Protein backbone atom coordinates (compact mmCIF):
# COMPACT_ATOMS: atom_id res chain seq x y z
CA UNK A 1 0.00 0.00 0.00
CA UNK A 2 1.62 3.17 -1.19
CA UNK A 3 1.44 6.31 0.88
CA UNK A 4 2.10 9.85 -0.19
CA UNK A 5 3.39 12.65 1.93
CA UNK A 6 2.59 16.27 1.29
CA UNK A 7 4.66 19.35 1.90
CA UNK A 8 3.14 22.79 1.62
CA UNK A 9 4.91 24.68 -1.17
CA UNK A 10 4.49 28.34 -1.99
CA UNK A 11 4.72 29.84 -5.47
CA UNK A 12 8.41 30.53 -4.87
CA UNK A 13 9.05 26.79 -4.72
CA UNK A 14 10.24 26.84 -1.12
CA UNK A 15 8.55 24.89 1.68
CA UNK A 16 6.11 27.00 3.68
CA UNK A 17 7.98 26.58 6.98
CA UNK A 18 11.14 28.33 5.74
CA UNK A 19 11.57 32.05 6.15
CA UNK A 20 11.85 34.09 2.97
CA UNK A 21 14.86 36.28 2.33
CA UNK A 22 14.21 39.93 3.13
CA UNK A 23 13.27 41.92 0.03
CA UNK A 24 14.16 45.56 -0.47
CA UNK A 25 11.14 47.81 -0.21
CA UNK A 26 10.04 49.64 -3.30
CA UNK A 27 8.45 52.96 -2.48
CA UNK A 28 5.61 52.70 -5.00
CA UNK A 29 4.68 49.08 -4.38
CA UNK A 30 5.28 48.82 -0.64
CA UNK A 31 1.71 49.54 0.39
CA UNK A 32 -0.23 48.46 -2.70
CA UNK A 33 -2.25 45.28 -3.10
CA UNK A 34 -1.00 42.77 -5.62
CA UNK A 35 -3.13 41.66 -8.54
CA UNK A 36 -1.59 38.20 -8.29
CA UNK A 37 -1.11 36.16 -5.16
CA UNK A 38 1.19 33.28 -4.26
CA UNK A 39 -0.16 29.87 -5.14
CA UNK A 40 -0.47 27.47 -2.25
CA UNK A 41 -0.47 23.83 -3.15
CA UNK A 42 0.88 20.63 -1.65
CA UNK A 43 3.49 18.72 -3.59
CA UNK A 44 3.05 14.95 -3.60
CA UNK A 45 5.79 12.34 -3.96
CA UNK A 46 4.69 11.82 -7.58
CA UNK A 47 5.64 15.46 -8.30
CA UNK A 48 2.07 16.60 -8.95
CA UNK A 49 0.61 19.59 -7.17
CA UNK A 50 -2.52 19.05 -5.11
CA UNK A 51 -4.53 21.83 -3.44
CA UNK A 52 -4.15 22.31 0.32
CA UNK A 53 -7.96 22.25 0.59
CA UNK A 54 -9.83 19.56 -1.36
CA UNK A 55 -13.29 19.88 -2.90
CA UNK A 56 -15.38 16.91 -3.96
CA UNK A 57 -16.96 16.84 -7.41
CA UNK A 58 -20.40 17.64 -5.93
CA UNK A 59 -19.04 20.62 -3.98
CA UNK A 60 -17.19 21.91 -7.03
CA UNK A 61 -20.27 21.57 -9.24
CA UNK A 62 -22.47 23.43 -6.74
CA UNK A 63 -19.85 26.17 -6.28
CA UNK A 64 -19.68 26.62 -10.06
CA UNK A 65 -23.46 27.21 -10.07
CA UNK A 66 -23.20 29.70 -7.20
CA UNK A 67 -20.30 31.44 -8.92
CA UNK A 68 -22.33 31.88 -12.12
CA UNK A 69 -25.26 33.31 -10.13
CA UNK A 70 -22.96 35.73 -8.28
CA UNK A 71 -21.39 36.85 -11.56
CA UNK A 72 -24.83 37.46 -13.04
CA UNK A 73 -25.70 39.67 -10.05
CA UNK A 74 -22.44 41.63 -10.39
CA UNK A 75 -22.54 42.16 -14.15
CA UNK A 76 -25.84 41.29 -15.83
CA UNK A 77 -25.36 40.14 -19.42
CA UNK A 78 -21.64 39.36 -19.00
CA UNK A 79 -21.87 36.31 -16.76
CA UNK A 80 -19.19 34.21 -18.51
CA UNK A 81 -16.40 36.80 -18.27
CA UNK A 82 -17.41 37.96 -14.80
CA UNK A 83 -17.71 34.39 -13.51
CA UNK A 84 -14.27 33.48 -14.83
CA UNK A 85 -12.73 36.26 -12.72
CA UNK A 86 -14.38 35.40 -9.39
CA UNK A 87 -12.41 33.52 -6.75
CA UNK A 88 -13.81 31.58 -3.79
CA UNK A 89 -12.50 32.88 -0.46
CA UNK A 90 -12.65 30.34 2.33
CA UNK A 91 -11.51 30.91 5.89
CA UNK A 92 -12.25 30.74 9.59
CA UNK A 93 -13.29 33.39 12.08
CA UNK A 94 -13.96 33.54 15.80
CA UNK A 95 -17.49 32.56 16.76
CA UNK A 96 -19.96 29.77 16.26
CA UNK A 97 -21.06 27.02 18.64
CA UNK A 98 -17.57 25.55 19.08
CA UNK A 99 -15.39 28.65 19.02
CA UNK A 100 -14.41 29.00 15.34
CA UNK A 101 -16.67 29.01 12.29
CA UNK A 102 -16.09 28.57 8.57
CA UNK A 103 -16.91 31.26 6.01
CA UNK A 104 -17.00 31.28 2.21
CA UNK A 105 -17.69 34.03 -0.30
CA UNK A 106 -16.81 34.96 -3.86
CA UNK A 107 -14.58 37.94 -4.54
CA UNK A 108 -12.81 39.67 -7.39
CA UNK A 109 -9.05 39.41 -8.03
CA UNK A 110 -8.62 43.00 -6.81
CA UNK A 111 -9.64 41.87 -3.30
CA UNK A 112 -6.86 39.26 -3.07
CA UNK A 113 -4.01 40.38 -0.79
CA UNK A 114 -0.28 39.72 -1.27
CA UNK A 115 -0.16 37.27 1.64
CA UNK A 116 -3.22 35.27 0.54
CA UNK A 117 -2.72 31.75 -0.80
CA UNK A 118 -4.38 31.01 -4.14
CA UNK A 119 -5.15 27.40 -5.09
CA UNK A 120 -6.14 26.37 -8.59
CA UNK A 121 -8.85 23.72 -8.71
CA UNK A 122 -10.46 21.80 -11.57
CA UNK A 123 -12.10 23.92 -14.22
CA UNK A 124 -11.73 27.66 -13.76
CA UNK A 125 -12.31 27.62 -9.99
CA UNK A 126 -9.67 29.29 -7.82
CA UNK A 127 -9.68 29.18 -4.04
CA UNK A 128 -8.24 31.98 -1.87
CA UNK A 129 -7.32 31.62 1.80
CA UNK A 130 -5.53 33.91 4.22
CA UNK A 131 -2.43 32.42 5.92
CA UNK A 132 -3.96 32.30 9.42
CA UNK A 133 -7.05 30.42 8.22
CA UNK A 134 -4.91 28.07 6.14
CA UNK A 135 -3.27 26.81 9.34
CA UNK A 136 -6.68 25.57 10.50
CA UNK A 137 -7.90 24.39 7.08
CA UNK A 138 -4.86 22.58 5.65
CA UNK A 139 -5.97 19.10 4.53
CA UNK A 140 -9.70 19.87 4.84
CA UNK A 141 -12.21 18.37 2.41
CA UNK A 142 -15.32 20.27 1.38
CA UNK A 143 -18.30 18.22 0.22
CA UNK A 144 -21.86 19.13 -0.74
CA UNK A 145 -25.07 17.24 -0.03
CA UNK A 146 -28.42 18.05 -1.62
CA UNK A 147 -30.46 16.22 1.01
CA UNK A 148 -33.59 18.01 2.17
CA UNK A 149 -32.69 17.60 5.84
CA UNK A 150 -29.07 18.16 6.79
CA UNK A 151 -28.00 19.13 3.28
CA UNK A 152 -25.53 21.80 2.30
CA UNK A 153 -21.76 22.08 2.50
CA UNK A 154 -19.97 19.56 4.73
CA UNK A 155 -16.55 20.40 6.14
CA UNK A 156 -14.25 17.45 6.97
CA UNK A 157 -11.39 19.09 8.83
CA UNK A 158 -8.58 16.86 10.15
CA UNK A 159 -7.35 19.75 12.33
CA UNK A 160 -10.61 20.08 14.31
CA UNK A 161 -10.71 18.46 17.75
CA UNK A 162 -14.48 18.86 18.04
CA UNK A 163 -17.21 19.90 15.62
CA UNK A 164 -20.65 21.17 16.58
CA UNK A 165 -23.84 19.46 15.48
CA UNK A 166 -24.50 21.93 12.67
CA UNK A 167 -21.09 21.16 11.15
CA UNK A 168 -20.32 24.83 10.50
CA UNK A 169 -18.09 25.46 13.53
CA UNK A 170 -15.23 23.66 15.25
CA UNK A 171 -12.59 23.91 17.93
CA UNK A 172 -8.91 23.03 17.96
Amino acid sequence: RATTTTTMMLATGRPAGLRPRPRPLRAAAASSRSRTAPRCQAQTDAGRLAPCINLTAKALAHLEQLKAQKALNLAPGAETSAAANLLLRIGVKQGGCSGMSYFMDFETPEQVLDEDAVMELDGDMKLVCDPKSLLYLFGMELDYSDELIGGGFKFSNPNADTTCGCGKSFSV
Side-chain angles (χ1 to χ4, degrees), residues 108-148:
T108 62
E110 292 80 22
Q111 295 170 300
V112 177
L113 302 175
D114 287 338
E115 63 269 7
D116 288 338
V118 178
M119 293 159 264
E120 294 183 8
L121 304 174
D122 293 338
D124 64 347
M125 181 69 71
K126 289 184 181 180
L127 192 77
V128 180
C129 187
D130 66 277
K132 187 176 178 183
S133 293
L134 191 58
L135 293 173
Y136 297 105
L137 299 177
F138 190 84
M140 184 189 78
E141 180 179 82
L142 182 63
D143 192 12
Y144 181 77
S145 171
D146 54 2
E147 296 174 6
L148 292 176

Side-chain angles (χ1 to χ4, degrees), residues 9 19 25-26 28 32 35 39-40 46 48 55 61-62 65 78 86 119 121 129 145 149 168 170:
M9 301 291 284
R19 290 187 189 176
L25 290 177
R26 292 183 299 223
S32 67
R35 299 281 186 239
R39 293 181 355 181
C40 171
R48 296 176 324 181
L55 276 70
H62 190 71
Q65 290 175 356
L86 290 177
M119 293 159 264
L121 304 174
C129 187
S145 171
I149 298 177
K168 308 298 183 226
F170 67 100

Side-chain angles (χ1 to χ4, degrees), residues 39-123:
R39 293 181 355 181
C40 171
Q41 297 182 328
Q43 186 169 11
T44 64
D45 289 337
R48 296 176 324 181
L49 291 177
C52 301
I53 299 171
N54 297 309
L55 276 70
T56 65
K58 286 184 94 172
L60 189 59
H62 190 71
L63 285 168
E64 289 286 352
Q65 290 175 356
L66 293 174
K67 181 178 173 182
Q69 289 174 359
K70 178 80 170 192
L72 189 59
N73 292 339
L74 291 176
E79 63 272 357
T80 55
S81 62
N85 290 332
L86 290 177
L87 298 100
L88 175 68
R89 178 169 294 277
I90 188 168
V92 297
K93 60 182 179 180
Q94 294 288 337
C97 314
S98 298
M100 301 187 87
S101 62
Y102 301 105
F103 71 87
M104 294 190 300
D105 196 13
F106 289 103
E107 62 183 34
T108 62
E110 292 80 22
Q111 295 170 300
V112 177
L113 302 175
D114 287 338
E115 63 269 7
D116 288 338
V118 178
M119 293 159 264
E120 294 183 8
L121 304 174
D122 293 338

